[in-house]
Amino acid sequence: MSEPYDLAIVGAGPAGMAAATTAAELGLRTVVLDEQEAPGGQIYRSIERVARDHPQRLAMLGEDYAAGLALVRAFRACSVDYRPGSTVWQVEQPLGILYSAHGESHRLRARRILIATGAMERPMPLAGWTLPGVMTAGAAQILLKTVGAVPQGRVVLVGCGPLLLLFAWQLLQANVRVSALVDTSTPGARRRAARHLPTALMAPGYVGKGLRYIRVLREAGIAMLDNFEHVQLNGSERVEEVVVKRSGATERLAADVVLLHQGLVPNANLGWALRCEHEWNESQRCFIPRVDSWGLASQAEIQFAGDCAGIVGARSAEHAGRLAALESAYRLERIDATARDAKARAPIAELRRHRRIRPLLEALYRPGDRYVAPEQDDVIVCRCEEANAGDIRRAVAHGCPGPNQMKAFIRCGMGPCQGRMCGLTVTELMAAARNVSPNEIGYYRIRPPIKPLALGELAALQLE
Amino acid sequence: MYASLPDAAGPQVSVIVDGKPVAVPAGASVAAALLLAGAVPSRANPVTHAPRAPYCMMGVCFECLVEIDGIPERQACMIAAAEGMRVRCAPRSSPPERS
C-alpha cells in the first residue's frame, strides 16, 4: 500500500483546477480525477484544443470562455497527479476512492476529498422531450466547443436562463440564426427580480453582458415568444415541431433541432452516495449539500467547491476552489489559521463580488412550477424507465411515501442514469401532490457504483 | 441535424457507424460522430422501444448508449471516436407486450 494522498479532487473544472493549483502551492500531495481527457470542466471544455487549433473560435465563444485559459495553464504547470479519463464510481470510508480509467478500475487512498463535480442542466420534462433532435442547450454548446459542430435547419430554443441567452448569442457568432426562442420564464419574474438589480450591478460585468446578448438577439430579429399557457414538442421518429398555445391560439413552429434549458443544478450524485447532508434551497429550486464557507460538508474530511455546492457560476467556482484548498491545508496542519485567513482574504472578496449577481439571476430565471412538475399526466419524467407524471401522482395517491419507494412502485429512477434525469422532478411532483416542502420529501437514495461498471473491470481492481 | 463549421479544417478520424464510414474531427466523442453522421435515432428505449438519441453530451443522461467495438451499452458521449472504431446503433423494433 502506498502512502495516501493528502487531497483527492474529483473534477477538473474551475473549482477543481483552482483548488489543485492552490493545494500544490501549499505542498499538499494532490491527485485530481476527471472524467474528461483534458482539463476545463464543462464550462472551459476543450479550451486548450480550441486555443491551439481554432483560435478564431475564441471570439465566437466569448471572453468568458477564453478566461479559462489562464486557469488551465496554471493547473497544467502545478505539481499534482492529474488523472484524466477517470470516472469515480465509489468513495469508501475511511477515504478510499474507486475509479475507472480506460477500461480498468483502480483504488487510491486520500486523507481528504474535495468534490468539484460541477453542475448539470436542470431536467426539463415537457411533452415530447425524449424525441431525437431534442437536446439540452448545454449539449449543443459542448458540440460547438469540442468539435465546432452547430445545429442545422430550424433550431428552436425553449426555456430560460443565462446559458440559453449566451448560447443563442454564440450561435449567432457562428452564423447560425435560431428560428425562435420560446421563453418559459415566469410572467412577473422581471418585476420580482427588479429589487435585486442594484446589488447585481455591483457584480463585475454580468448585467451589461446579459443586456448585450439580449440586444444582439433582438437586433438579429430572432422571434421571442413568451407569456403562453402551454408548450409541447411533437414528432414521430424525430422532433418535427414546437407547439405553443396562448389565449386560445395555437402556434406551430417547425423544428429540426430543439434545445432545452432551464438553469443548472448541482451534479450531486457523489455527495448523495456519501450520505452528506443536503437541504432544499428554495431560491435555486434544488437540493444543495450543507456546507460552511470553506466548503466543509457534514463529514469533516469531505469538502465541496463550485457549482456542486450550489450554483454560483464559473468565476465564483474558482475562488471557492481556492478557499477549499486553504481549508484542506489547515485541516492537515500544513498552515495555521492565521496563514489560512490571510491567504483567504482575496478569494473571499472576489467571491463576494461575483455572488452579487445571484439573487437577480435566481429571481429572474426561477423555473416555473409547470416546467419542474408537469401538469399533464402523459409527460415522461423518468426517461430510462418511461414513468410519467401521472404514474407518479397515482403512486402518491396509493400511499407511496417517498422517492425511494417510488422505485419499487413504478421503477422510476431505476434506469442507467441513476435518477439524474428524474430525481428533482420526482421530488417536486411528490411535494406538490402532498402539499409539503421538498425537504420533507427528500431525494433518491443514491448507491454506489455511481456510474455503471463492467463486472470485468470490478474484478480487475488495481489497489494502490 | 448538426454540421461542422466551415473553419473546421484539421485532423480527422474515420469511424464505422452501422457499416458506413464517417469522418469526424479528431477529439470528437462517438456521440458527436453519431450526430454529425445523422445516425439518429441511435437507440430504442428498452421499455417501450421509443426512438432516442444523445441528449446531454456530458455523461449524465445515458441516452447515447450504443454498441462500440462489440461491447453493448457504451456511453457514446464519454468515449472518443478512434480510427476504425465500429459503432452499432440499436435496431428499432415494435414495443414489447406490456404485462
Side-chain angles (χ1 to χ4, degrees):
Chain A
M1 275 288 204
S2 58
E3 188 61 14
Y5 285 93
D6 290 323
L7 177 63
I9 299 173
V10 184
M17 290 191 294
T21 308
T22 304
E25 283 164 11
L26 297 165
L28 303 191
R29 210 170 141 254
T30 304
V31 60
V32 178
L33 300 162
D34 187 70
E35 277 189 326
Q36 292 177 41
E37 292 301 336
Q42 304 303 340
I43 187 82
Y44 304 130
R45 198 157 168 166
S46 298
I47 183 86
E48 290 170 310
R49 182 149 17 96
V50 170
R52 190 189 61 221
D53 299 344
H54 301 283
Q56 72 287 359
R57 284 187 199 158
L58 289 175
M60 179 193 296
L61 289 158
E63 63 202 24
D64 286 343
Y65 178 68
L69 264 179
L71 266 183
V72 171
R73 284 176 181 151
F75 173 69
R76 286 283 195 193
C78 79
S79 58
V80 296
D81 186 352
Y82 165 51
R83 303 190 184 185
S86 300
T87 300
V88 173
W89 47 264
Q90 184 172 356
V91 174
E92 317 165 309
Q93 312 273 38
L95 287 181
I97 295 158
L98 297 125
Y99 68 96
S100 293
H102 311 112
E104 281 191 339
S105 274
H106 305 261
R107 185 177 70 178
L108 56 81
R109 291 180 311 130
R111 294 188 175 90
R112 304 188 56 76
I113 181 169
L114 174 61
I115 299 175
T117 49
M120 55 173 270
E121 283 168 282
R122 179 191 304 276
M124 193 163 181
L126 294 173
W129 74 308
T130 59
L131 286 165
V134 181
M135 296 176 82
T136 68
Q141 194 187 41
I142 287 168
L143 282 160
L144 178 58
K145 289 173 184 173
T146 53
V147 284
V150 288
Q152 295 292 286
R154 291 153 307 187
V155 182
V156 179
L157 307 185
V158 181
C160 63
L163 188 146
L164 198 66
L165 290 174
L166 167 68
F167 187 57
W169 178 87
Q170 288 171 330
L171 284 177
L172 261 185
Q173 309 313 299
N175 292 320
V176 174
R177 204 169 149 281
V178 303
S179 17
L181 201 157
V182 178
D183 177 5
T184 62
S185 58
T186 313
R190 273 187 212 154
R191 199 172 22 80
R192 281 191 296 278
R195 67 191 173 92
H196 300 298
L197 191 57
T199 309
L201 286 165
M202 293 194 295
Y206 291 90
V207 174
K209 244 180 314 204
L211 291 172
R212 190 174 84 233
Y213 298 146
I214 292 167
R215 194 191 70 236
V216 169
L217 295 171
R218 284 197 193 286
E219 282 169 1
I222 290 169
M224 301 203 191
L225 288 76
D226 56 8
N227 283 324
F228 44 83
E229 290 94 62
H230 177 76
V231 58
Q232 70 177 68
L233 317 175
N234 292 344
S236 56
E237 288 293 286
R238 287 184 181 197
V239 69
E240 291 157 24
E241 61 174 9
V242 180
V243 178
V244 178
K245 291 180 185 159
R246 62 175 140 196
S247 48
T250 300
E251 287 184 63
R252 295 178 176 276
L253 311 169
D256 303 296
V257 174
V258 176
L259 302 173
L260 307 179
H261 179 83
Q262 54 173 350
L264 302 172
V265 294
N267 196 351
N269 275 29
L270 185 53
W272 284 113
L274 277 161
R275 303 280 184 270
C276 294
E277 287 173 24
H278 287 68
E279 55 193 341
W280 184 258
N281 181 302
E282 192 51 43
S283 181
Q284 296 197 2
R285 211 162 186 170
C286 59
F287 287 104
I288 62 176
R290 193 191 296 270
V291 293
D292 72 0
S293 57
W294 301 98
L296 284 168
S298 50
Q299 295 102 310
E301 70 281 11
I302 301 171
Q303 285 172 270
F304 289 84
D307 277 351
C308 65
I311 304 303
V312 290
R315 295 309 305 278
S316 292
E318 81 182 65
H319 300 297
R322 291 194 179 97
L323 292 178
L326 288 168
E327 178 66 9
S328 274
Y330 167 70
R331 297 249 152 193
L332 292 162
E333 298 178 352
R334 303 301 168 77
I335 54 173
D336 60 16
T338 315
R340 177 198 64 186
D341 295 349
K343 288 176 192 290
R345 258 181 229 119
I348 288 172
E350 285 294 312
L351 207 48
R352 197 173 291 132
R353 272 177 2 112
H354 286 285
R355 278 209 167 138
R356 288 180 180 139
I357 192 62
R358 298 306 311 170
L360 178 80
L361 293 180
E362 287 170 20
L364 201 51
Y365 299 119
R366 180 179 169 76
D369 291 350
R370 73 180 67 163
Y371 302 109
V372 294
E375 291 157 355
Q376 268 177 279
D377 276 354
D378 61 357
V379 174
I380 289 172
V381 171
C382 169
R383 298 175 61 111
C384 299
E385 293 290 335
E386 295 226 343
N388 66 32
D391 296 332
I392 290 159
R393 277 190 281 263
R394 276 188 295 277
V396 173
H398 289 152
C400 177
N404 230 27
Q405 292 77 11
M406 195 59 77
K407 297 180 189 172
F409 270 71
I410 57 171
R411 291 197 52 81
C412 187
M414 295 279 281
C417 94
Q418 295 176 281
R420 288 173 177 90
M421 284 288 118
C422 63
L424 285 173
T425 315
V426 167
T427 296
E428 293 263 16
L429 280 165
M430 293 190 81
R434 290 184 27 203
N435 201 17
V436 297
S437 94
N439 250 338
E440 199 165 320
I441 299 293
Y443 192 77
Y444 290 134
R445 189 166 281 247
I446 303 298
R447 293 190 179 84
I450 60 164
K451 279 284 175 90
L453 181 71
L455 280 174
E457 245 188 278
L458 187 58
L461 186 64
Q462 308 285 321
L463 302 182
E464 281 193 21
Chain B
M1 179 163 289
Y2 285 85
S4 294
L5 288 169
D7 72 359
Q12 299 222 309
V13 293
S14 179
V15 295
I16 321 274
V17 177
D18 289 334
K20 286 196 279 294
V22 177
V24 292
S29 65
V30 173
L34 294 172
L35 292 165
L36 285 166
V40 168
S42 55
R43 171 177 175 257
N45 172 279
V47 180
T48 59
H49 289 220
R52 295 296 178 84
Y55 176 74
C56 81
M57 298 302 285
M58 57 174 279
V60 295
C61 77
F62 291 79
E63 291 286 15
C64 63
L65 300 177
V66 288
E67 183 183 294
I68 300 176
D69 288 340
I71 302 169
E73 310 271 297
R74 307 291 309 280
Q75 265 186 296
C77 75
M78 300 301 286
I79 296 168
E83 188 62 36
M85 194 177 244
R86 289 181 177 274
V87 183
R88 233 167 51 107
C89 299
R92 297 281 317 286
S93 56
S94 54
E97 290 293 316
R98 309 259 341 224
S99 54

